[in-house]
Amino acid sequence: MHKHTNRLINETSPYLLQHAHNPVDWYPWGDEALQRAKVEDKPILVSIGYAACHWCHVMERESFEDESTAELMNKYFINIKIDREERPDLDHVYMDAVQAMAGNGGWPLNVFLMPDGKPFYGGTYFPPTRAFNRPSWKEILEGVHQAYTERKHEMESQAENLTAHLTNANSFGVSPAKDQFTKEDLDLIATNMLKQGDKEHGGFGAAPKFPQTFTIQYLLRYHYYTKDEESLHQALLSLDKMIYGGIYDQLGGGFARYSTDAEWLAPHFEKMLYDNALLVSVMAEAYQLTKNELYQHTIDHTIQFVQRELMSDEGGFFSALDADSEGVEGKFYTWSKVEIEEVLGNDASLFCEFYDVSEHGNWEHTNILRVQQSFKDFAIERSLDAVKLQQTIQDCKQKLFAVREQRVRPSLDDKILLGWNALMNIALSKAYASTLDETYKQLAVSNMNFIETRLYKQQEWLHTYKQGQAKIPAFLDDLAYLALAYIHLQEITGESTYLSKACDLIERVIREFSDESQALFYFTPKEQVDIIVRKKEIYDGATQSGNSVMANVLLYLAKVFDKPEWEERACSMINSFRSLINRYPTSFGFWAQQALVIVQGIEEIAIVGDKASEFLRELLPVYLPGKVLQSSVDGEDNFPLLRNRLQKKTLVYHCKNYVCIEPRTTVSEFLYHHRSVS
């Protein structure tokens, strides 16, 4: 620990606080640093990362903690540190700039700006001495300083050109919205997804492998409409292989961010809130569709992990757990065979065989626990009793988990983000719908209370919260995800106020984030001034694009509030990406799901009457992906789908494509007729 502290000491972000004792004179992003750059005529170095990022830690250790390196940085530059999860808006802009300059991007992201904030040079990780065909960080600092002082006008025109490029890149390859999606497009999307499918290990594309939950979700829904077996098989294979792999924490539950290899063995061990939320959401759909207990068990185990390690006392969810502990990646999660034998005694050899544990290890001379055969197959092959085997393994896991709890833990990124909490809230609603476990409904309701009381101040939604302090105006993703969370919460509770809140939120987004020239939405609100380009994000990457979620929410609420103009806007958003979604569906997986909705039509289901809540419990576990569901549990009928329908007798109303079917008096009758027409 250095004796000095810099200005980051007053921040709340754990990532910024990690750098508060560097000898670099870091500033947080803000007026003070930007003004000083102008006054002293110095370029700005913006360094962007996040708390769970392995190479960010490496560069800090090698360069930012080094006195002589810090001296150069402080002499030549105004240095700004940014947490990309706190300021995704700035990260998007400067990441695009580095990708345009260097052809690739990632974190740590180091980008040099003119004093007016326009980027002119940048890259990712730089080593302390020349290595990996990369110049050293000190050489970069000297080179950029020299270019700025001797060829400043060249740097200025480079910055202007780059900024113009960023502005133009915002228009994308958008086709006119008159291009409508067809059933053939849906088939093409599935075909293109399956072309990338790994038929042996599940997942899509080569290593490194990310969970690709939106692709899996599309294939599950496509199978629902078409009964296509290959889509179902690839979707379930992907989930099963992840659940059995090292990307899943076999002892404690929860998924890591991605796998470094094709068979899901060795993850980068950081665990992010959003991945776990999205995986619970898609497993809930898989469970509704298959009733396979593996999915129910994994949903339970993952939510237990989130509650235990990522939940605050106030009911909010923290952002992430680091990959490293005691300076070693994965140390918290891996085991030597000897350690396991010490803890488990006689049961060790069975456990080691089941979880692929060996003397020499399956990863870097140690062992990551993974399952290579289901309990059933393992038991049959060895003539064991499957139930007894499962019990023995469960007991062993509990013993090892207790031992692991004594280890030095990976550090926790304990800032609470609005958007990621909304994603977890959706996951809890979907987990409740599929399993009817009341604890998930209660968790969702209490987390929503947390969101509404801590992340909403003076009529404004805020992006991040920590220790009583909420700050940074919310971005498009935050508000779009929150609207979707309200919709799901309404479906499982029957509380119509959540729909009214979603509607208010969307009206606000339309006012503050709309691009007047297109149907799309900007990532940042129009009042925001500290950004050189207002970007529109469209890719469904690690999380859904705010635009694809807006399209989804607009389609849903258009039905609920009878707003045809919202449906029109959503359709023109979706149709404008037709060729991109068809060609690159794994980058547009959530958009692809909206294409399914507009081609297949939305089912409007309303449950009314005295027993509405009983009927609701019966209907929720049924897999009906493209539905709008309202129930009169709270007796409120001021909605088009419920109007003039309230009465004592309990009925299920069902309309689709502007046609209503005779109301049914039981859920099973509704489902029987529903199957015969769909």
Side-chain angles (χ1 to χ4, degrees), residues 196 203-205 209-218 238 242 264 275 279 282 540-541 585-589:
Q196 293 189 47
F204 302 87
K209 265 189 178 160
F210 289 83
Q212 287 270 16
T213 41
F214 312 127
T215 304
I216 296 171
Q217 213 164 11
Y218 178 86
S238 303
M242 281 190 272
W264 307 108
D275 282 319
L279 280 154
V282 75
D540 297 320
T586 55
S587 300
F588 293 92

Side-chain angles (χ1 to χ4, degrees), residues 201 241-251 259 261-267 333 335 351-357 361-363 367-373 378:
H201 302 296
K241 293 290 186 182
M242 281 190 272
I243 292 167
Y244 286 150
I247 190 173
Y248 183 65
D249 177 356
Q250 301 294 334
L251 291 187
S259 171
D261 57 274
E263 54 192 85
W264 307 108
L265 167 65
Y333 301 101
W335 297 85
F351 183 91
C352 289
E353 200 181 343
F354 189 74
Y355 282 110
D356 188 35
V357 173
N362 59 17
W363 178 72
N367 291 281
I368 298 171
L369 302 184
R370 65 148 162 196
V371 177
Q372 292 181 293
Q373 260 184 317
F378 187 91

Side-chain angles (χ1 to χ4, degrees), residues 85-377:
E85 293 162 0
E86 213 173 52
R87 290 302 301 263
D89 54 333
L90 296 168
D91 179 53
H92 291 328
V93 171
Y94 294 126
M95 177 63 77
D96 282 358
V98 169
Q99 279 176 322
M101 284 183 278
N104 63 343
W107 299 276
L109 187 73
N110 291 292
V111 57
F112 295 91
L113 319 179
M114 301 305 283
D116 63 2
K118 291 176 181 166
F120 65 89
Y121 184 73
T124 53
Y125 165 79
F126 293 100
T129 51
R130 272 183 171 266
F132 324 115
N133 284 334
R134 287 166 184 251
S136 75
W137 181 234
K138 283 184 173 172
E139 286 175 291
I140 293 287
L141 296 170
E142 293 284 5
V144 171
H145 167 67
Q146 195 179 354
Y148 185 81
T149 46
E150 293 171 13
R151 305 194 304 281
K152 190 175 172 188
H153 61 284
E154 275 177 46
M155 299 303 108
E156 278 170 345
S157 68
Q158 197 162 315
E160 289 304 326
N161 291 341
L162 200 53
T163 306
H165 164 79
L166 295 179
T167 309
N168 295 338
N170 237 343
S171 58
F172 316 110
V174 176
S175 52
K178 61 179 185 293
D179 240 6
Q180 303 274 331
F181 270 96
T182 63
K183 279 200 166 63
E184 289 68 37
D185 291 321
L186 303 182
D187 301 337
L188 178 63
I189 289 169
T191 304
N192 285 340
M193 284 176 171
L194 291 169
K195 264 187 204 154
Q196 293 189 47
D198 179 332
K199 306 286 182 280
E200 188 184 352
H201 302 296
F204 302 87
K209 265 189 178 160
F210 289 83
Q212 287 270 16
T213 41
F214 312 127
T215 304
I216 296 171
Q217 213 164 11
Y218 178 86
L219 292 173
L220 290 176
R221 294 175 175 203
Y222 177 75
H223 164 80
Y224 168 82
Y225 290 115
T226 63
K227 306 296 173 270
D228 177 64
E229 285 305 316
E230 195 188 345
S231 299
L232 179 66
H233 175 75
Q234 190 62 34
L236 299 179
L237 177 73
S238 303
L239 289 176
D240 295 352
K241 293 290 186 182
M242 281 190 272
I243 292 167
Y244 286 150
I247 190 173
Y248 183 65
D249 177 356
Q250 301 294 334
L251 291 187
F255 293 83
R257 202 163 76 88
Y258 65 95
S259 171
T260 58
D261 57 274
E263 54 192 85
W264 307 108
L265 167 65
H268 259 319
F269 287 86
E270 66 261 43
K271 283 177 170 174
M272 317 300 291
L273 176 65
Y274 62 80
D275 282 319
N276 285 285
L278 294 170
L279 280 154
V280 166
S281 284
V282 75
M283 286 189 295
E285 293 193 25
Y287 182 60
Q288 284 176 318
L289 191 58
T290 64
K291 296 295 182 257
N292 177 345
E293 285 176 5
L294 176 67
Y295 304 133
Q296 181 175 9
H297 170 74
T298 313
I299 289 167
D300 293 344
H301 201 200
T302 304
I303 294 175
Q304 283 163 17
F305 150 72
V306 170
Q307 277 184 276
R308 186 181 67 241
E309 300 193 35
L310 293 177
M311 191 164 147
S312 76
D313 295 343
E314 298 175 287
F317 297 110
F318 301 131
S319 293
L321 282 168
D322 208 325
D324 307 11
S325 51
E326 303 177 74
V328 179
E329 189 181 6
K331 185 170 183 180
F332 184 75
Y333 301 101
T334 53
W335 297 85
S336 70
K337 193 172 183 202
V338 177
E339 279 179 291
I340 291 176
E341 286 166 345
E342 276 171 19
V343 180
L344 299 181
N346 294 339
D347 290 328
S349 66
L350 181 73
F351 183 91
C352 289
E353 200 181 343
F354 189 74
Y355 282 110
D356 188 35
V357 173
S358 58
E359 297 287 340
H360 50 83
N362 59 17
W363 178 72
E364 298 191 357
H365 312 299
T366 179
N367 291 281
I368 298 171
L369 302 184
R370 65 148 162 196
V371 177
Q372 292 181 293
Q373 260 184 317
S374 68
F375 282 120
K376 200 169 135 199
D377 293 346

